[in-house]
């Protein structure tokens, strides 16, 4: 049995979303107009019930009333699609239209070059709820950069925002000028200033980047963060297998070959990688009233963006709809590059229903650091790779969410749709 049927999934998504949007009506930085626009006619009457989470939810215990709130359902602003972001890997050769990029050789090394800007912008974090963000290339999370171990990542960064910003990469960076902190190299970049960062892509793994201007917590929680994926080089794995495992025993020929195969499956330049369905998820959160605590949580910014909206139950979703589960082919290996950009809360987590997975902490090893688990936690800036196999599962919906139940109820709740 799938973990939940389509009607129940749509109901739970909608009810949680209603509660979330209602809970924000008392927040000073969310205008009443935008909240009412998101709630729709019936929802606007419900606003009178009160603005606290408890009183807002207590008014909706009657299942019969539920259908009145359908107007809550959709994100009207489609300039960021969490489904497109999920599989958008900027490699220099291919990626997102709004990220100018190219790849070329220089001194015998592959260079992957990207143009980044920082801008002040408004993003939609729940239907009708906007957040004043600071964003790399106008999006939160920032663009996912993907390179191969040993490549040079060159980022031409221009600050078009009103505050001073940097880009600090979580890479093994041998040149302090390129660390992206206020005290080193170019320091912070004021409005209109540019700098070209150059980083060697190392070590192989899933990494984090973010602005390092002060106050740090504000520059991060406003949206200046993203993911760097460094694909392992199979030739280097063959030569130095011990760099990729935490294993003291002998490296047999078979084990070496297995590690090389695993590296190929992780490397976007190899055909073996095509067989894996890869996704990027950044766990994030939003302090909508700037009181130092979060009101909204998500994976990839849109609260309940991978929840369940209108479907025919056959895997067909209303065209243009943001709110829909992540469709996965049960015969494909599933890989999630996961990182935690949540500010203010100490940890975040990822939990799968009816499923166990292998986890590679920081993605720097080719053998799992946790095997057969259904929950992992990450502190801020921690990241890793999750690998799942749904080949034995029946088609249908399988929930996944943060297992801080508060985060799940406030937006970080999603579904995989196994087809
Ligand atoms: Cu900043």
């Amino acid at each position: 049995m799938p973990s939940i049927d389509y009607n129940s999934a749509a109901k739970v998504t909608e009810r949680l979303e209603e509660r979330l949007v209602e809970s924000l009506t008392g927040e000073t930085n969310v205008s009443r107009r935008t909240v009412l626009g998101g709630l729709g006619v019936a929802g606007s009457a419900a606003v009178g019930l009160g603005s606290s989470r408890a009183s807002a939810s207590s008014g909706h215990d009657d299942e019969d009333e539920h259908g009145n709130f359908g107007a809550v359902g959709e994100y009207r602003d489609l300039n960021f699609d969490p489904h497109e972001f999920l599989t958008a890997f900027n490699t220099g050769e291919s990626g997102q239209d709004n990220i100018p990029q190219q790849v070329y050789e220089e001194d015998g090394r592959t260079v992957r070059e990207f143009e980044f800007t920082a801008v002040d912008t408004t993003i939609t974090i729940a239907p009708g709820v906007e957040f004043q963000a600071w964003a790399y290339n106008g999006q939160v999370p920032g663009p996912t950069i993907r390179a191969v171990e040993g490549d040079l990542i060159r980022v031409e960064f221009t600050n078009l925002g009103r505050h001073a910003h940097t880009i600090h990469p979580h890479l093994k960076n041998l040149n302090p000028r390129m660390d992206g902190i206020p005290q080193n190299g170019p320091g912070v970049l004021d409005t209109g200033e540019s700098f070209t960062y150059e980083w060697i892509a190392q070590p192989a793994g899933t990494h984090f980047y973010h602005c390092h201007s002060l106050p740090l917590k504000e520059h991060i929680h406003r949206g200046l963060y993203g993911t760097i994926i460094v694909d392992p080089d199979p030739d280097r794995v063959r030569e130095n297998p011990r760099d990729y495992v935490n294993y003291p025993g002998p490296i047999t020929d078979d084990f070496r070959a297995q590690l090389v195969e695993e590296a190929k499956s992780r490397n976007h330049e190899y055909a073996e990688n095509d067989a894996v369905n890869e996704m990027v998820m950044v766990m994030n959160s939003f302090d909508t009233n700037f009181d130092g605590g979060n009101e909204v949580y998500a994976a990839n910014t849109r609260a309940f963006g991978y929840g369940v909206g209108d479907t025919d139950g056959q895997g067909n979703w209303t065209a243009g709809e943001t709110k829909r589960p992540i469709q996965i082919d049960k015969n494909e290996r599933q890989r999630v590059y996961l990182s935690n950009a949540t500010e203010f809360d100490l940890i975040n987590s990822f939990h799968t229903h009816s499923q166990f997975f292998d986890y590679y902490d920081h993605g720097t090893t080719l053998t799992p650091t946790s095997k057969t688990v259904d929950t992992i936690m990450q502190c801020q800036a921690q990241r890793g790779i999750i690998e799942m196999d749904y080949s034995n599962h029946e088609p249908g919906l399988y929930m996944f969410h943060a297992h801080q139940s508060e985060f799940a109820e406030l937006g970080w709740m999603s579904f995989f749709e196994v087809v």
Side-chain angles (χ1 to χ4, degrees), residues 143-212:
T144 300
I145 291 177
R146 187 166 193 171
V148 175
E149 199 176 4
D151 292 349
L152 182 76
I153 300 170
R154 178 172 283 153
V155 178
E156 296 179 353
F157 177 50
T158 302
N159 182 11
L160 301 176
R162 283 174 299 164
H163 302 82
H165 299 305
T166 74
I167 308 177
H168 166 65
H170 286 225
L171 293 167
K172 182 175 175 180
N173 182 13
L174 307 183
N175 179 353
R177 255 184 80 72
M178 298 297 172
D179 197 42
I181 57 170
Q183 299 82 5
N184 233 338
V188 296
L189 301 180
D190 290 322
T191 304
E193 290 185 335
S194 298
F195 183 75
T196 300
Y197 292 103
E198 292 188 347
W199 310 308
I200 302 294
Q202 62 184 1
T206 304
H207 304 306
F208 191 57
Y209 70 84
H210 63 90
C211 176
H212 215 294

Side-chain angles (χ1 to χ4, degrees), residues 118 134 136 163-166 211-216 218-220 224:
W134 303 342
Y136 291 122
H163 302 82
H165 299 305
T166 74
C211 176
H212 215 294
S213 293
L214 301 174
L216 203 51
E218 179 164 27
H219 283 256
I220 293 175
L224 291 165

Side-chain angles (χ1 to χ4, degrees), residues 394-409:
E394 288 185 20
L397 295 172
Y398 296 89
M399 192 185 274
F400 66 101
H401 57 83
H403 219 301
Q404 283 87 342
S405 45
E406 181 190 16
F407 299 2
E409 293 194 353

Side-chain angles (χ1 to χ4, degrees), residues 17-206:
E17 194 177 68
E18 285 165 16
R19 289 175 58 193
L20 173 65
V21 173
E22 285 179 18
S23 76
L24 295 170
T25 59
E27 306 293 352
T28 52
N29 283 54
V30 180
S31 80
R32 183 174 169 78
R33 189 180 58 79
T34 57
V35 170
L36 295 184
L39 276 172
V41 177
S44 65
V47 169
L49 291 171
S51 59
S52 76
R53 280 167 207 153
S55 63
S57 60
S58 67
H60 296 291
D61 288 337
D62 184 351
E63 286 288 331
D64 295 338
E65 283 182 18
H66 178 71
N68 294 337
F69 296 89
V72 175
E74 238 341 284
Y75 289 89
R76 292 187 177 83
D77 139 33
L78 295 176
N79 63 11
F80 175 81
D81 182 342
H83 289 271
E84 277 177 28
F85 177 82
L86 194 67
T87 54
F89 300 97
N90 298 286
T91 63
E93 292 167 292
S94 63
Q96 296 171 269
D97 292 341
N98 61 325
I99 325 296
Q101 53 190 288
Q102 57 177 324
V103 62
Y104 50 91
E105 296 291 316
E106 190 177 278
D107 302 329
R109 197 188 279 280
T110 298
V111 179
R112 297 180 197 268
E113 185 179 289
F114 306 90
E115 290 178 34
F116 268 43
T117 55
V119 297
D120 300 345
T121 189
T122 301
I123 60 171
T124 305
I125 56 173
V129 178
E130 296 182 336
F131 180 77
Q132 303 304 312
W134 303 342
Y136 291 122
N137 292 49
Q139 64 177 62
V140 179
T144 300
I145 291 177
R146 187 166 193 171
V148 175
E149 199 176 4
D151 292 349
L152 182 76
I153 300 170
R154 178 172 283 153
V155 178
E156 296 179 353
F157 177 50
T158 302
N159 182 11
L160 301 176
R162 283 174 299 164
H163 302 82
H165 299 305
T166 74
I167 308 177
H168 166 65
H170 286 225
L171 293 167
K172 182 175 175 180
N173 182 13
L174 307 183
N175 179 353
R177 255 184 80 72
M178 298 297 172
D179 197 42
I181 57 170
Q183 299 82 5
N184 233 338
V188 296
L189 301 180
D190 290 322
T191 304
E193 290 185 335
S194 298
F195 183 75
T196 300
Y197 292 103
E198 292 188 347
W199 310 308
I200 302 294
Q202 62 184 1
T206 304

Side-chain angles (χ1 to χ4, degrees), residues 109-350:
R109 197 188 279 280
T110 298
V111 179
R112 297 180 197 268
E113 185 179 289
F114 306 90
E115 290 178 34
F116 268 43
T117 55
V119 297
D120 300 345
T121 189
T122 301
I123 60 171
T124 305
I125 56 173
V129 178
E130 296 182 336
F131 180 77
Q132 303 304 312
W134 303 342
Y136 291 122
N137 292 49
Q139 64 177 62
V140 179
T144 300
I145 291 177
R146 187 166 193 171
V148 175
E149 199 176 4
D151 292 349
L152 182 76
I153 300 170
R154 178 172 283 153
V155 178
E156 296 179 353
F157 177 50
T158 302
N159 182 11
L160 301 176
R162 283 174 299 164
H163 302 82
H165 299 305
T166 74
I167 308 177
H168 166 65
H170 286 225
L171 293 167
K172 182 175 175 180
N173 182 13
L174 307 183
N175 179 353
R177 255 184 80 72
M178 298 297 172
D179 197 42
I181 57 170
Q183 299 82 5
N184 233 338
V188 296
L189 301 180
D190 290 322
T191 304
E193 290 185 335
S194 298
F195 183 75
T196 300
Y197 292 103
E198 292 188 347
W199 310 308
I200 302 294
Q202 62 184 1
T206 304
H207 304 306
F208 191 57
Y209 70 84
H210 63 90
C211 176
H212 215 294
S213 293
L214 301 174
L216 203 51
K217 66 183 178 185
E218 179 164 27
H219 283 256
I220 293 175
H221 110 265
R222 286 278 198 159
L224 291 165
Y225 48 76
T227 303
I228 301 173
I229 297 169
V230 179
D231 296 343
D233 175 357
D235 293 333
R236 194 183 180 284
V237 172
R238 190 178 289 108
E239 296 299 311
N240 305 284
R242 287 199 185 280
D243 290 354
Y244 302 86
V245 289
N246 182 11
Y247 172 66
I251 304 278
T252 63
D253 288 349
D254 280 355
F255 189 35
R256 186 187 305 262
Q258 178 197 324
L259 294 174
V260 170
E261 283 309 296
E262 186 64 21
K264 288 178 180 174
S265 93
R266 293 246 195 112
N267 188 312
H268 76 276
E269 295 189 321
Y270 284 77
E272 286 83 347
N273 179 250
D274 298 340
V276 185
N277 182 44
E278 297 185 306
M279 298 167 267
V280 174
M281 293 188 203
V282 179
M283 301 190 288
N284 53 3
S285 60
F286 300 94
D287 175 11
T288 58
N289 59 6
F290 302 100
D291 66 350
N294 297 307
E295 282 73 43
V296 177
Y297 296 83
N300 297 341
T301 298
R302 292 282 175 85
F304 306 113
Y306 306 116
V308 172
D310 288 331
T311 176
D312 62 0
Q314 309 289 321
N316 300 310
W317 298 90
T318 306
E321 188 170 30
T322 300
K323 201 173 59 191
R324 61 186 194 278
I326 297 169
Q327 269 189 356
I328 58 178
D329 177 342
K330 66 185 288 180
N331 296 315
E332 277 184 336
R333 184 174 170 185
Q334 306 296 324
R335 178 179 290 148
V336 178
Y337 296 96
L338 180 75
S339 59
N340 180 21
T342 308
E343 192 58 73
F344 307 120
D345 292 285
L346 296 180
I347 55 168
N348 206 325
S349 61
F350 184 103

